[in-house]
């Protein structure tokens, strides 16, 4: 099923994602310990911001993007049975790996400590932005590769519904292509010239362009994880997905509303009107609907599986295969997502956002989302696909079994403590959270409890990394293959096409919503005239 070069592509991108996860985890450990009162300070203030930048960029951008590329090839080929073009995959690797290494050099040298959101007027070394731009071009080449596979399949399969996994991959690519123009304009128009020539920049315009990209980015992470629930979990449980139509509806909601919502990251920014922010709040609630529909669909599928195993009204939960690390990881991540999502609803409320913005609440929120529904799900599906991609079984089944539970327990403690600390006003992105002894007393114990949780899930991450790298060398020869994984799906290609399969309609509606959502804020920014400010260059 997989051509040799596709296997090489998956191996390189997934292994590289593990390296990013390991390094990002190391930075996470350093900054967690250093900023917790009563814990040893491992780095000074400048080291803290270097570690925080490394942690954010490696985890949020590199770990996710490379794993997603690997899994996208896996899903597209196994569901559509159409192979990728070798040159496009090769070019993707050259650009994304080259760009990442270029951007990593100034970060590791402490010359681009601008955090993963790189808000101006703080400007880092030019190589950081140039590397980033090259990575983006690489992801566009990858998008072209996926679209090419999809179109070739479509031409040969007219009148057939798109399989639910491939539908998710295409959704991810559409959202990426909707989102990246915002970032590209910001980087090419302002950040590269600012870092090279000191060009003054308009901070509000750049923040708005960043968040035009930044919110759809979170759905770019989320949807591949959701693919696991729609395309992999039913196979694992031996049942049909409860509703393929509802799954496709959720994808379409993500395509429609994931972009014109970026202002919910800018509620506290002056210069944008209440009306524009209100519009984005409203659209945010419509994108959250996609997750609610997913929650319903996944729970109904789980109940179907539990009942098929003899479970009753509530006992079906106990009948699920909780000792299987793939299932356990998916289900535990899903529970954490429930809490993270509800926190997101709070964030999206204009008034409540003022309480939590820039506090540790937000850190709690995104560890339950990108740190759980995305990261824990990717770890769990690694246990499933590893033998197919690397021709080796996972080295230690027992470690794989306990790892998702440790992640769940640690993350739960960490996120709960950080959410509460956030309500008490404890800030994020501050290297000395004691404010030289002046901070409220309640912050310290909460930060310490959070750090205990953080260390537990950090250890879970270490176990994961050691286990996968040990599997490469010591894992027994694989006992499953790609064909055995793609049997018995609840969403085979012969599904009837629905209105949701007519992607061109939804792309047009999405573009209209983007124009509506961003015309008002852009008019507000430009009608006053831009106010470029001097940059603060920290690139050394
Ligand atoms: Fe978010 C900030 C709003 C989802 C990631 N978000 C962030 C940041 C990141 C992030 C990284 O409105 C920080 C950015 C920065 O550095 O400044 N977010 C939302 C909303 C949702 C949401 C409304 N976020 C995500 C996802 C992410 C992610 C997904 C990554 C993958 N977020 C915000 C806002 C901010 C923000 C503001 C800015 C805050 C500020 O002021 O800075 C929604 O899409 C969430 C919808 C989800 C649900 C959950 C449904 C329930 C489910 C499971 C139920 C499970 C059960 C148990 C019942 C409503 C899916 C199962 C039982 C079994 C037996 C298994």
């Amino acid at each position: 099923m997989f051509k040799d070069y596709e296997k090489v592509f998956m191996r390189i991108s997934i292994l590289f994602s593990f390296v990013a996860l390991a390094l990002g985890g190391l930075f996470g450990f350093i900054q967690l310990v250093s900023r917790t009162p009563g814990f040893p300070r491992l780095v000074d203030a400048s080291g803290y911001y270097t570690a925080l930048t490394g942690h954010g960029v490696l985890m949020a951008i590199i770990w996710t993007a490379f794993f997603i590329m690997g899994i996208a090839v896996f899903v597209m080929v196994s569901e559509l049975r159409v192979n990728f073009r070798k040159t496009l995959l090769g070019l993707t690797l050259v650009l994304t790996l080259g760009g990442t290494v270029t951007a990593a050099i100034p970060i590791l040298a402490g010359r681009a400590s601008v955090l993963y959101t790189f808000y101006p007027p703080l400007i880092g070394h030019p190589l950081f932005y140039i590397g980033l731009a090259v990575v983006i071009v690489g992801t566009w080449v990858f998008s072209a590769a996926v679209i090419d596979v999809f179109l070739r399949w479509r031409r040969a399969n007219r009148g057939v519904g798109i399989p639910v996994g491939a539908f998710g991959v295409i959704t991810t690519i559409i959202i990426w292509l909707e989102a990246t123009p915002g970032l590209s304009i910001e980087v090419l128009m302002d950040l590269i010239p600012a870092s090279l020539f000191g060009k003054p920049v308009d901070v509000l315009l750049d923040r708005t362009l960043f968040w035009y990209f930044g919110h759809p980015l979170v759905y770019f992470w989320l949807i591949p994880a959701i693919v696991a629930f729609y395309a992999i979990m039913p196979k694992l449980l031996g049942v049909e997905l409860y509703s393929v139509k509802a799954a496709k509806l959720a994808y379409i909601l993500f395509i429609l509303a994931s972009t014109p919502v970026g202002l919910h990251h800018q509620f506290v920014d002056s210069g944008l009107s209440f009306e524009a922010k209100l519009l984005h709040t409203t659209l945010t609630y419509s994108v959250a609907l996609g997750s609610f529909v997913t929650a319903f669909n996944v729970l109904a599928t789980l109940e179907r599986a539990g009942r098929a195993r003899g479970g009753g009204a509530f006992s079906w939960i106990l009948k699920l295969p909780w000792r299987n690390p793939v299932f356990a990881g998916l289900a535990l991540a899903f529970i954490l997502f429930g809490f993270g999502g509800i926190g997101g609803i709070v964030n999206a409320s204009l008034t409540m956002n003022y309480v939590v913005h820039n506090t540790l609440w937000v850190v709690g929120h995104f560890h339950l989302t990108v740190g759980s529904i995305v990261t824990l799900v990717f770890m769990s599906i690694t246990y499933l696909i590893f033998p197919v991609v690397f021709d080796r079984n996972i080295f230690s089944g027992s470690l794989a079994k306990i790892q998702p539970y440790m992640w769940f327990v640690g993350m739960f403690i960490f996120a709960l403590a950080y959410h509460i600390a956030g309500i008490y006003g404890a800030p994020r992105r501050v290297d000395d959270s004691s404010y030289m002894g002046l901070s409220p007393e309640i912050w310290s114990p909460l930060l310490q409890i959070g750090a205990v949780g953080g260390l537990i899930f950090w250890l879970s991450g270490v176990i994961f990394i050691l286990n996968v790298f040990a599997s490469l060398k010591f894992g027994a020869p694989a006992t499953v293959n790609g064909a055995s994984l793609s049997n018995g799906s609840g969403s085979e290609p012969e599904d009837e096409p629905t209105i949701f399969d007519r992607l061109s309609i939804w792309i047009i509606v999405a573009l209209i919503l983007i124009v509506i959502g961003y015309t008002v804020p852009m008019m507000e920014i430009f009608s006053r005239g831009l106010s470029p400010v001097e940059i603060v260059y920290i690139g050394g």
Side-chain angles (χ1 to χ4, degrees):
M1 175 167 54
F2 296 111
K3 300 266 191 213
D4 284 348
Y5 61 85
E6 288 168 336
K7 268 201 159 182
V8 170
F9 179 87
M10 288 190 284
R11 284 178 181 180
I12 294 179
S13 55
I14 291 177
L15 276 184
F16 194 71
S17 77
F18 293 154
V19 172
L21 181 67
L23 253 180
L26 178 66
F27 283 131
F29 174 83
I30 293 172
Q31 46 109 354
L32 174 79
V33 171
S34 296
R35 85 187 300 278
T36 304
F39 281 50
R41 237 199 120 91
L42 304 179
V43 281
D44 61 7
S46 131
Y48 166 81
Y49 287 107
T50 300
L52 189 55
T53 304
H55 178 62
V57 172
L58 286 166
M59 294 304 211
I61 300 174
I62 307 303
W63 146 244
T64 50
F66 278 88
F67 193 88
I68 288 170
M69 290 196 299
I71 190 80
V73 171
F74 188 93
V75 171
M76 292 299 276
V77 176
S78 47
E79 277 200 349
L80 303 185
R81 309 287 163 128
V82 175
N83 291 103
F84 279 75
R85 289 188 205 275
K86 191 176 176 182
T87 38
L88 289 178
L89 289 188
L91 189 58
T92 301
L93 276 185
V94 170
L95 290 169
T96 50
L97 290 174
T100 303
V101 173
T102 309
I105 294 167
I107 297 181
L108 295 175
R111 295 170 69 181
S113 301
V114 286
L115 309 185
Y116 86 102
T117 42
F118 40 88
Y119 294 144
L122 215 56
I123 293 288
H125 194 278
L127 280 184
F128 172 70
Y129 305 105
I130 293 169
L132 199 67
V134 176
V135 173
I136 301 281
V137 176
T139 61
W140 286 340
V141 175
F142 183 70
S143 305
V146 173
I147 292 170
D148 166 63
V149 166
F150 175 69
L151 292 179
R152 279 188 281 135
W153 173 83
R154 181 84 283 183
R155 274 196 289 275
N157 293 275
R158 298 238 176 254
V160 170
I162 307 168
V164 83
F167 203 124
V169 174
I170 290 292
T171 303
T172 308
I173 296 295
I174 294 172
I175 289 178
W176 186 248
L177 294 177
E178 281 176 16
T180 38
L183 183 68
S184 319
I185 296 172
E186 184 198 3
V187 170
L188 293 179
M189 179 188 74
D190 275 353
L191 302 185
I192 291 181
S195 63
L196 285 172
F197 316 114
K199 177 191 175 200
V201 295
D202 184 283
V203 170
L204 181 60
L205 175 63
D206 280 345
R207 283 171 67 91
T208 308
L209 286 169
F210 181 84
W211 286 116
Y212 172 98
F213 157 80
H215 197 76
L217 172 70
V218 314
Y219 292 97
F220 168 79
W221 299 328
L222 177 69
I223 293 160
I226 287 192
V227 165
F229 289 96
Y230 288 156
I232 294 178
M233 203 182 68
K235 284 175 202 163
L236 205 65
L237 298 173
V239 291
E240 300 272 304
L241 178 66
Y242 181 75
S243 167
V244 171
K245 274 200 188 85
K248 293 182 176 178
L249 166 68
Y251 288 142
I252 297 300
L253 285 168
F254 291 135
I255 290 179
L256 292 183
S258 63
T259 304
V261 295
L263 259 54
H264 73 217
H265 293 267
Q266 295 180 267
F267 286 152
V268 298
D269 284 14
S270 52
L272 297 167
S273 67
F274 169 78
E275 288 74 17
K277 291 174 181 171
L278 191 65
L279 175 64
H280 281 232
T281 288
T282 314
L283 286 166
T284 302
Y285 289 128
S286 23
V287 78
L289 268 182
S291 299
F292 279 121
V293 172
T294 303
F296 177 79
N297 206 357
V298 171
L299 279 175
T301 310
L302 290 179
E303 182 175 352
R304 176 181 271 181
R307 283 182 183 272
R309 288 155 193 244
F314 288 103
S315 58
W316 62 263
I317 299 174
L318 301 176
K319 299 282 178 187
L320 296 170
W322 292 100
R323 294 161 74 86
N324 175 329
V326 184
F327 173 78
L330 293 180
L332 296 172
F334 198 65
I335 297 170
L336 292 174
F337 183 41
F339 293 109
I342 302 306
I345 301 291
V346 170
N347 297 347
S349 147
L350 250 170
T351 42
M352 285 195 275
N353 184 272
Y354 294 140
V355 178
V356 299
H357 182 68
N358 263 344
T359 68
L360 289 183
W361 169 286
V362 175
V363 180
H365 165 69
F366 66 69
H367 278 83
L368 290 175
T369 49
V370 66
S372 297
I373 188 66
V374 177
T375 295
L376 183 52
V377 165
F378 289 178
M379 288 169 158
S380 313
I381 50 184
T382 298
Y383 295 135
L384 187 76
I385 65 168
F386 196 92
V388 180
V389 176
F390 295 97
D391 298 328
R392 298 237 170 220
N393 282 342
I394 286 292
F395 171 66
S396 167
S398 325
L399 285 178
K401 274 188 188 146
I402 58 163
Q403 184 268 321
Y405 286 93
M406 281 178 70
W407 192 274
F408 177 81
V409 171
M411 191 57 86
F412 189 82
I413 298 171
F414 173 86
L416 185 65
Y418 269 39
H419 273 86
I420 299 174
I423 296 175
Y424 281 105
R428 68 191 277 212
R429 297 179 160 179
V430 169
D431 80 292
D432 175 14
S433 46
S434 78
Y435 280 88
M436 292 181 291
L438 295 173
S439 64
E441 272 177 28
I442 184 81
W443 289 3
S444 288
L446 286 168
L447 284 167
Q448 285 159 347
I449 295 169
V452 171
L455 290 177
I456 297 175
F457 78 80
W458 180 76
L459 211 59
S460 159
V462 172
I463 290 175
F464 172 80
I465 292 289
L466 292 179
N467 205 3
V468 288
F469 280 104
S471 310
L472 289 174
K473 184 121 183 79
F474 307 112
T479 45
V480 286
N481 59 32
S484 62
L485 279 188
S486 54
N487 281 338
S489 159
S491 58
E492 291 300 310
E494 56 270 21
D495 284 333
E496 286 288 302
T498 62
I499 179 74
F500 304 124
D501 290 74
R502 300 182 62 186
L503 287 172
S504 47
I505 302 179
W506 305 112
I507 293 173
I508 293 170
V509 180
L511 293 176
I512 295 172
L513 282 175
I514 291 175
V515 171
I516 295 174
Y518 272 96
T519 302
V520 178
M522 284 301 170
M523 273 170 58
E524 287 171 356
I525 292 171
F526 281 101
S527 62
R528 275 192 305 269
L530 297 182
S531 320
V533 293
E534 288 300 319
I535 59 151
V536 180
Y537 186 67
I538 56 159

